[in-house]
Amino acid sequence: MRSLALGLFFLLCCNAVRLDRRRPRPIAARGQNETTVQTKPAEKPCKAIPLDFVFVIDSSRSIRPNDYEKVKTFIINLLQFLGVGSDATRVALLQYGSVVQPEFSLNTYTTRAEVEQAVRNMEHLATGTMTGLAIQYTMETAFTEEEGARPAELLIPRIAMVVTDGRPQDTVEEIAAQARHAGIQIFAVGVGRVDMNTLKAIGSEPHSEHVHLVANFSQIETLISVFQSKLCGGDESYLFL
Ligand SMILES: *[C@@H]1O[C@H](CO)[C@@H](O)[C@H](O)[C@H]1NC(C)=O
Ligand SMILES: *[C@@H]1O[C@H](CO)[C@@H](O)[C@H](O)[C@H]1NC(C)=O
């Protein structure tokens, strides 16, 4: 499990550095000045590895429209660090409220531009919070070969990132444990009044790397730099444990 986490970090690291060299890309957040994602120079190049990456996005009623836009911005900013491509990192996204709504599968798109456009086009469900159901769908459907997941023998890390703002209406412990046991590495990102124990029940170990809680949707962008600085910034030594 740990090596998978490290794999993700390496990937984030390397692509960030490469992108930065080739074409620095301004990120415009709505209503704010343009800012550029800061990437720290890496002492040595990291090895990028392909991932099968599924975003699992809470689309419940409690999320206000402008907060929903912030989640989209977060996803789009994170995409910059995932080398999207059918032979590189494949990305899927599903959102959930009272039901699970798959937006696109691991084999739907082959470029980052297409994925970005699909994220921009997503529409807020504004219903319930069936987090357990969404994790079940992720395990039983999103990560199947029919949906574009690569065969387990290829050892492509399977990563799910669950972004949620509230208490699940169903139980998550058991299904999340099953998903992790099935080889899915889960990152749990909580916003606002999410119960930390729920996030920990969702996320993989070690929780310090997989479970993140921020105060509100404005703060969710800070996680981009959290991911980055964990990677190629400051103390790299833990990456080689
Ligand atoms: C935007 O940038 C201008 C000029 O740099 C600055 O005066 C202004 O305060 C900034 N606005 C915000 C919202 O950061
Ligand atoms: C979001 O949380 C931060 C940190 O607690 C706080 O400083 C900020 O005012 C909050 N923003 C909103 C819009 O509530």
Side-chain angles (χ1 to χ4, degrees):
M1 271 309 145
R2 188 169 187 90
S3 63
L4 299 189
L6 301 186
L8 176 66
F9 292 146
F10 278 125
L11 180 91
L12 292 173
C13 167
C14 302
N15 282 349
V17 170
R18 277 201 215 119
L19 279 171
D20 201 45
R21 264 192 223 126
R22 278 196 218 135
R23 31 169 195 208
R25 184 187 148 78
I27 306 292
R30 238 193 219 185
Q32 289 172 359
N33 284 346
E34 283 201 340
T35 52
T36 303
V37 170
Q38 298 295 321
T39 53
K40 296 180 180 167
E43 293 287 310
K44 44 193 158 191
C46 308
K47 203 180 284 179
I49 57 166
L51 305 171
D52 283 344
F53 195 107
V54 178
F55 286 99
V56 181
I57 304 298
D58 184 342
S59 187
S60 56
R61 194 181 298 115
S62 55
I63 300 173
R64 291 171 307 176
N66 61 334
D67 289 338
Y68 188 70
E69 292 305 313
K70 291 192 178 96
V71 174
K72 289 186 181 184
T73 302
F74 171 69
I75 296 167
I76 288 168
N77 287 346
L78 208 51
L79 284 174
Q80 289 190 103
F81 309 127
L82 300 173
V84 179
S86 57
D87 292 329
T89 290
R90 297 184 182 183
V91 180
L93 188 147
L94 58 97
Q95 50 175 344
Y96 68 93
S98 301
V99 297
V100 175
Q101 177 163 306
E103 294 292 330
F104 50 91
S105 304
L106 290 168
N107 56 8
T108 307
Y109 300 120
T110 56
T111 67
R112 176 159 59 95
E114 291 172 304
V115 174
E116 270 192 34
Q117 194 53 51
V119 171
R120 289 185 209 283
N121 291 345
M122 276 164 49
E123 287 184 17
H124 191 186
L125 301 178
T127 56
T129 312
M130 298 293 278
T131 311
L133 190 67
I135 294 171
Q136 183 176 2
Y137 181 93
T138 302
M139 175 177 69
E140 293 179 353
T141 305
F143 278 113
T144 58
E145 290 181 38
E146 292 73 29
E147 296 278 311
R150 281 161 285 191
E153 310 87 81
L154 295 183
L155 301 177
I156 305 286
R158 295 182 171 186
I159 312 280
M161 179 176 281
V162 179
V163 180
T164 183
D165 87 320
R167 281 179 196 281
Q169 289 172 323
D170 53 2
T171 58
V172 296
E173 286 80 1
E174 210 172 303
I175 194 71
Q178 275 182 43
R180 294 191 303 265
H181 206 237
I184 301 170
Q185 186 178 349
I186 307 181
F187 285 83
V189 174
V191 182
R193 294 181 304 159
V194 185
D195 175 30
M196 195 58 178
N197 288 328
T198 302
L199 290 183
K200 286 180 176 170
I202 294 173
S204 296
E205 302 266 4
H207 290 151
S208 57
E209 288 178 25
H210 294 90
V211 175
H212 298 278
L213 178 60
V214 293
N216 53 49
F217 284 94
S218 302
Q219 297 283 302
I220 196 169
E221 276 302 301
T222 63
L223 293 178
I224 294 286
S225 61
V226 165
F227 281 124
Q228 273 188 271
S229 59
K230 273 189 179 187
L231 322 173
C232 293
D235 181 15
E236 294 179 8
S237 57
Y238 85 98
L239 290 173
F240 303 101
L241 290 177

